[in-house]
Amino acid sequence: MTTMAVRVLVVDDEPPIRKLLRVGLGTEGYTISEAGNAKDAIARIDAEEPDLVLLDLGLPDMTGQELLRLWRSEGRTLPIVILSSRTDEAGIVQALEAGADDYVTKPFGMRELAARLRVALRHKLHQQGERPVFRTGELSVDLVRRIVQVGGTEVKLSPKEYDILRALVQHAGKVLTHRHLLKEVWGGNEDVQYLRVYIRQLRQKIEPVPEQPHYITTEPGVGYRLRESD
């Protein structure tokens, strides 16, 4: 089980396909939200900020390729995997050139599809300069599967605790200011004391001696720093 399930937005106008993906990917540990047309998909991607999109090309109000181009033109870099019954090379190339990370044709096997999603997530992390698995001392953070372990034992984090840890992992070895973390995790609308509470909770879960932090150290009056990777 993942510490925090990867959020996938399924955009497909066929209810049976959406149900199949909701059930099948749900058993693989993903959290699924659905949209039956482009208008709904645009609203959901803004409101839900998914980690990955599964996009059908044949939507009723806009083609999947047009929607893909729109999202890429807006600077959205999340992985987008095309799911379609079209198998012609021209359609595949067109989707990939429009910014798709992969292309899976119907019918499909659920395990194969889940594997493709993991590859797309891992590839995006590499593009962003992140390593799929971060390790320092006894602490490891799998950025693809969202699994946090200490000494080989999985640690259950809340979504906000994980978001804080991920932000620190992305900048391991560098100090992150309170303002940066508040903006990254809460959009900048919370008080610094709120952040301190979550840091304290996070330390209780990952530090050998929480009162003497080994991984997450405090830069007084500035912010926090995560120990560099080994």
Side-chain angles (χ1 to χ4, degrees):
M1 294 295 293
T2 58
T3 298
M4 178 182 174
V6 174
R7 299 160 296 181
V8 177
L9 172 60
V10 174
V11 185
D12 196 299
D13 65 339
E14 299 182 61
I17 294 294
R18 297 202 303 271
K19 181 179 179 180
L20 174 65
L21 291 168
R22 182 174 67 250
V23 174
L25 291 178
T27 63
E28 296 286 338
Y30 294 92
T31 295
I32 307 300
S33 62
E34 306 171 26
N37 55 56
K39 181 179 179 181
D40 192 15
I42 291 170
R44 285 185 176 275
I45 201 170
D46 285 329
E48 299 172 3
E49 298 184 350
D51 299 300
L52 183 145
V53 173
L54 262 177
L55 176 62
D56 181 34
L57 292 180
L59 301 176
D61 52 346
M62 179 187 292
T63 70
Q65 290 165 342
E66 290 172 335
L67 183 56
L68 175 60
R69 290 193 184 92
L70 171 64
W71 281 338
R72 291 308 192 211
S73 70
E74 293 175 343
R76 299 184 187 274
T77 61
L78 80 168
I80 299 177
V81 176
I82 298 297
L83 188 63
S84 178
S85 57
R86 294 179 58 179
T87 58
D88 60 291
E89 289 186 2
I92 294 173
V93 170
Q94 192 174 16
L96 293 173
E97 289 182 343
D101 292 83
D102 204 347
Y103 190 108
V104 179
T105 57
K106 303 174 184 177
F108 52 86
M110 194 56 61
R111 287 186 177 179
E112 177 188 357
L113 177 59
R116 293 287 189 93
L117 300 191
R118 287 194 293 271
V119 169
L121 286 165
R122 190 175 297 115
H123 180 250
K124 186 58 63 178
L125 289 173
H126 280 305
Q127 284 186 324
Q128 295 171 348
E130 299 180 26
R131 283 163 292 189
V133 179
F134 171 88
R135 291 187 177 89
T136 180
E138 293 293 308
L139 174 67
S140 72
V141 183
D142 188 321
L143 294 168
V144 174
R145 297 188 296 159
R146 300 193 175 202
I147 293 178
V148 178
Q149 294 182 321
V150 176
T153 300
E154 185 172 350
V155 177
K156 299 294 184 182
L157 302 182
S158 71
K160 290 300 183 187
E161 290 168 352
Y162 178 83
D163 288 344
I164 292 169
L165 183 57
R166 180 188 173 106
L168 290 166
V169 165
Q170 289 174 322
H171 303 278
K174 299 180 181 179
V175 61
L176 293 188
T177 65
H178 299 129
R179 180 180 296 181
H180 179 99
L181 285 167
L182 287 169
K183 182 177 181 181
E184 184 83 8
V185 178
W186 287 280
N189 298 320
E190 299 294 340
D191 186 82
V192 172
Q193 186 58 36
Y194 204 58
L195 171 62
R196 292 191 179 111
V197 170
Y198 276 93
I199 290 288
R200 188 180 307 119
Q201 293 174 179
L202 186 54
R203 283 171 169 163
Q204 290 290 334
K205 295 181 178 181
I206 70 170
E207 295 283 1
V209 182
E211 295 76 18
Q212 300 174 16
H214 178 66
Y215 299 119
I216 302 175
T217 57
T218 300
E219 296 292 328
V222 179
Y224 301 95
R225 186 194 307 268
L226 180 68
R227 173 181 161 179
E228 291 181 349
S229 63
D230 297 332

